[in-house]
Amino acid sequence: KIGISVYDQYDTFVSEMMKDFNDYATKKEEETGVAINIDTYNASASQSTQNSQVENMITEGCDVICVNLVDRTDPTAIIDLAEKNNIPVIFFNRELVEEDLERWTRLYYVGAQAFESGIMQGELAAEAFLTDQSLDKNGDGIFQYVVLEGEAGHQDAIVRTEYSVSTMIDSGVEGEKLGYAIANWNRAQAQTKMAQLMSQFGDSIELVIANNDDMALGAIDALKASGLTKDEWPAVIGIDGTVGLEAVKNKEMIGTVYNDKEGQADAMLNLAYELSTGSDLSDLNLIDGKYIRLPYARVTCDDVDSYMEGDTE
Ligand code: BGC
């Protein structure tokens, strides 16, 4: 019996990962003949709600608990409850600090390495700028950009931006930051913020670096609403390979970075299974006995088809 609590069930990446998790669980049941029971809770962005949900999962007899923390700096109540009842916890996607993960032996983390996605995004942006002169609208040889950032304090927001920009520069492209806005991973917020950035910087924006695909699409919504023709748009780049794939395919985005939700869901299911059945974890290649991190991958219109729905497994 697996209990799961997600920080927000309407988050695109997390909900797609949950769908994959359930599919892998069905496959695992078929393979092993072991019934897998999954109870999923939505914490609706409240850490105290999530803490009560974990308490509930323990009362309900869950063998293992998977937590997508609301506040990644506040896992204490959950860790204490788990340890007191000796139920292992797999944290995922929203990474707690190492000191917290070290607080008890039966705590694990499944996710990715944020800086890697930033590096790939920076490489893609640089390659686009160096190969397509039309992206340098004012012809000054400098890529003028704005950034749409995810939640403040999320490991993937700050780190992605930092590495994306530094990699672009290391790849030989001079960048100039015009502005940025926090849009909390959210498409509608990104549209509003992008419209504001456009009214401030007009057509001097040549690149929109978005920390995820939802926000990249929000930027595109704003571009469409602005009445600019497509060849007047800045280049737009995202991360996740979720809702952005379609836009990469039809060249509204110059690329995205695939955040391996299938791999993460599969790894989390296998880990949960081994923890529940008391088997040994040696086949799972845990880093430091606690971490599973799946690699990111670069996606452009050349290879986007292999990432589109149904082709990724
Ligand atoms: C994803 C975002 C998502 C966030 C939620 C990130 O890794 O890239 O799309 O909103 O996780 O925690």
Side-chain angles (χ1 to χ4, degrees), residues 50-280:
Q50 186 163 64
N51 297 349
S52 317
Q53 291 172 341
V54 168
E55 209 169 335
N56 208 33
M57 292 176 205
I58 291 173
T59 317
E60 299 281 310
C62 286
D63 300 296
V64 54
I65 291 172
C66 301
V67 180
N68 180 220
L69 281 168
V70 173
D71 179 350
R72 69 186 192 96
T73 66
D74 192 15
T76 308
I78 291 174
I79 293 174
D80 289 350
L81 271 170
E83 184 173 8
K84 200 167 112 211
N85 293 279
N86 194 26
I87 312 288
V89 181
I90 307 172
F91 294 97
F92 65 101
N93 167 262
R94 300 167 68 88
E95 187 170 350
L96 57 177
V97 296
E98 201 182 332
E99 291 69 32
D100 282 330
L101 202 68
E102 294 295 338
R103 281 169 53 177
W104 183 42
T105 44
R106 307 188 77 198
L107 304 176
Y108 303 88
Y109 179 74
V110 174
Q113 202 69 272
F115 71 87
E116 213 182 276
S117 54
I119 291 176
M120 291 182 182
Q121 191 181 47
E123 287 169 355
L124 289 172
E127 272 167 36
F129 188 77
L130 295 172
T131 52
D132 180 355
Q133 289 193 343
S134 73
L135 296 183
D136 185 12
K137 292 186 196 309
N138 61 0
D140 67 352
I142 302 171
F143 219 177
Q144 273 81 16
Y145 66 91
V146 296
V147 185
L148 291 170
E149 290 190 354
E151 278 167 280
H154 193 297
Q155 82 277 352
D156 290 338
I158 315 142
V159 175
R160 282 178 181 168
T161 304
E162 191 184 314
Y163 279 84
S164 178
V165 170
S166 65
T167 303
M168 195 167 83
I169 293 163
D170 292 346
S171 312
V173 170
E174 196 178 334
E176 181 188 349
K177 185 175 192 166
L178 299 176
Y180 78 99
I182 293 174
N184 297 309
W185 309 120
N186 180 279
R187 179 170 178 165
Q189 288 184 38
Q191 175 173 2
T192 309
K193 297 288 167 75
M194 180 65 189
Q196 286 163 4
L197 289 164
M198 285 164 70
S199 63
Q200 228 176 322
F201 303 107
D203 55 9
S204 45
I205 304 173
E206 296 173 337
L207 169 67
V208 181
I209 298 176
N211 283 168
N212 79 346
D213 278 1
D214 297 73
M215 295 189 293
L217 289 200
I220 291 173
D221 293 336
L223 290 166
K224 286 183 175 160
S226 76
L228 290 175
T229 63
K230 189 151 170 263
D231 29 284
E232 293 168 324
W233 290 10
V236 178
I237 189 159
I239 290 179
D240 272 346
T242 49
V243 288
L245 292 177
E246 196 65 47
V248 172
K249 185 163 171 83
N250 62 31
K251 304 209 165 125
E252 291 177 338
M253 281 167 64
I254 57 168
T256 187
V257 176
Y258 187 65
N259 189 358
D260 189 358
K261 58 182 171 356
E262 279 87 8
Q264 293 171 39
D266 192 30
M268 187 159 89
L269 195 259
N270 287 323
L271 179 56
Y273 183 87
E274 303 299 332
L275 288 169
S276 310
T277 52
S279 322
D280 96 88

